[in-house]
Amino acid sequence: MEAIIANARFQFHRQLFETNTLTLTEAGIASNADNSSKGSIAISGRIIEILVGEYGYQINRIKKISGQTLGKQFEILTMEFLQRTFPYLQNLRPGRWSILQLGNNNRLKTSDFEQYEHLAYLNALTAENAQLAAVLGNDYLVAPDVVVYRDLCEDQEINAEQYIVDDNISRMASIRKANGGRPLLHASVSAKFTMRSDRAQNSRTEALNLIRNRKGHLPHIVVVTAEPMPNRLASLALGTGDIDCVYHFALYELIRAVKEVGSEDAIEILETLVQGKRLKDISDLPLDLAV
């Protein structure tokens, strides 16, 4: 019998190939590789060889797909991986959970969650007052790629085993539906297929905004990526205080690929990230979100 998370990881990788998110160009370069970096081409190519060789995935050779398209597909598949895993952890993290791809086109916004509902009011004020907008800016507006949030609890559910609340107390508790609050944002997941130039740092900016602008409990803030280069992973993963952790789509295969075709510097950087618990495999993510 295969473990649920192991099966979900297999399906995640299979769909990366089937949706042509992870492909080879006609020149044999992986879609997550940096064409200008020999190290990136070698490591990403070796990862694909390992996945195809050990799991039998079918790799397609196609012309280059736009980075925006690849990024959106990666977001959707990351969301689906969490949908296939996290809800099964009710014994560790009970609750009614929703997992959605958010992005800029979704009607659901960060301000629809309890910790950030005040941002809608602030946004309305700045929209009507140009001087106020110039002073405050709009850096507080955040649209995570994927969100995990928890619905509020009815009093009947809270009092299921013991009489815990009544109409006279706990009238401002966020988790209590009777208090008229909004769903609780549990996790913000930034899905970055690759990390090119300064784009990866957008995840850090989003994280700092979520930390700075919240009222109440801070959600988990994580990054999922398929970036093959350890130094680029380090640019986001090293350090603490903003991002919980960076999760790689195929860390086990990345470690093997770097040892086989990477430079000594790449091997050392990757070991630092893994041993320092700043880089984990995507299979670790559902359990970490249960904390």
Side-chain angles (χ1 to χ4, degrees):
M1 181 177 179
E2 188 175 32
I4 288 175
I5 293 180
N7 180 260
R9 187 180 191 267
F10 174 86
Q11 297 299 330
F12 177 60
H13 290 160
R14 181 179 60 80
Q15 289 181 319
L16 283 170
F17 287 106
E18 289 182 351
T19 59
N20 288 331
T21 305
L22 198 59
T23 64
L24 293 175
T25 66
E26 294 173 343
I29 298 175
S31 55
N32 62 329
D34 181 350
N35 292 352
S36 63
S37 169
K38 291 182 179 179
S40 179
I41 293 172
I43 295 171
S44 59
R46 184 62 187 129
I47 290 174
I48 286 181
E49 289 176 355
I50 294 170
L51 289 173
V52 171
E54 296 196 357
Y55 299 101
Y57 303 117
Q58 296 297 314
I59 181 71
N60 296 321
R61 287 179 178 264
I62 62 174
K63 294 182 178 179
K64 185 175 178 63
I65 300 176
S66 72
Q68 185 175 10
T69 299
L70 293 175
K72 287 299 178 184
Q73 290 174 175
F74 190 69
E75 289 176 18
I76 293 171
L77 296 181
T78 298
M79 173 194 69
E80 291 176 349
F81 171 81
L82 288 173
Q83 289 174 337
R84 288 195 295 265
T85 54
F86 186 69
Y88 289 96
L89 303 178
Q90 287 288 325
N91 60 322
L92 302 179
R93 206 51 151 115
R96 291 187 300 275
W97 301 99
S98 296
I99 302 167
L100 295 176
Q101 180 193 16
L102 207 58
N104 294 320
N105 297 323
N106 196 301
R107 289 191 298 176
L108 187 67
K109 301 298 180 185
T110 311
S111 56
D112 291 316
F113 301 112
E114 179 71 17
Q115 304 100 305
Y116 301 97
E117 64 174 338
H118 59 287
L119 297 185
Y121 175 67
L122 186 59
N123 187 45
L125 288 178
T126 55
E128 297 175 357
N129 190 316
Q131 290 182 328
L132 187 61
V135 173
L136 296 178
N138 63 353
D139 289 343
Y140 52 84
L141 295 174
V142 179
D145 297 326
V146 178
V147 293
V148 181
Y149 64 92
R150 182 177 183 175
D151 292 332
L152 306 185
C153 296
E154 301 279 3
D155 282 5
Q156 183 179 4
E157 182 180 355
I158 298 173
N159 293 331
E161 297 185 6
Q162 298 184 66
Y163 189 43
I164 296 174
V165 297
D166 59 30
D167 293 338
N168 300 314
I169 44 85
S170 304
R171 292 185 294 180
M172 297 180 70
S174 298
I175 200 171
R176 191 178 180 188
K177 191 171 184 178
N179 292 335
R182 301 190 181 197
L184 298 165
L185 182 61
H186 180 69
S188 168
V189 182
S190 180
K192 303 297 181 187
F193 186 57
T194 60
M195 297 179 180
R196 300 290 181 265
S197 63
D198 296 330
R199 284 189 298 157
Q201 299 308 314
N202 292 343
S203 299
R204 179 164 278 130
T205 300
E206 293 172 3
L208 291 172
N209 286 338
L210 287 169
I211 294 169
R212 184 168 57 241
N213 294 313
R214 81 188 191 280
K215 286 185 178 179
H217 185 266
L218 179 66
H220 288 277
I221 303 173
V222 303
V223 177
V224 178
T225 185
E227 172 60 47
M229 288 297 287
N231 62 332
R232 287 181 175 161
L233 292 168
S235 71
L236 190 59
L238 285 180
T240 57
D242 42 25
I243 295 168
D244 293 6
C245 189
V246 175
Y247 295 83
H248 199 268
F249 90 110
L251 180 61
Y252 310 140
E253 293 78 10
L254 173 66
I255 292 172
R256 180 175 161 185
V258 170
K259 288 181 178 179
E260 292 177 2
V261 301
S263 65
E264 289 187 11
D265 286 346
I267 295 172
E268 183 178 348
I269 292 171
L270 188 57
E271 288 178 349
T272 298
L273 295 176
V274 173
Q275 292 175 8
K277 298 182 180 180
R278 300 303 297 146
L279 182 66
K280 298 182 180 182
D281 185 71
I282 192 169
S283 62
D284 297 308
L285 179 56
L287 289 168
D288 282 353
L289 292 184
V291 174

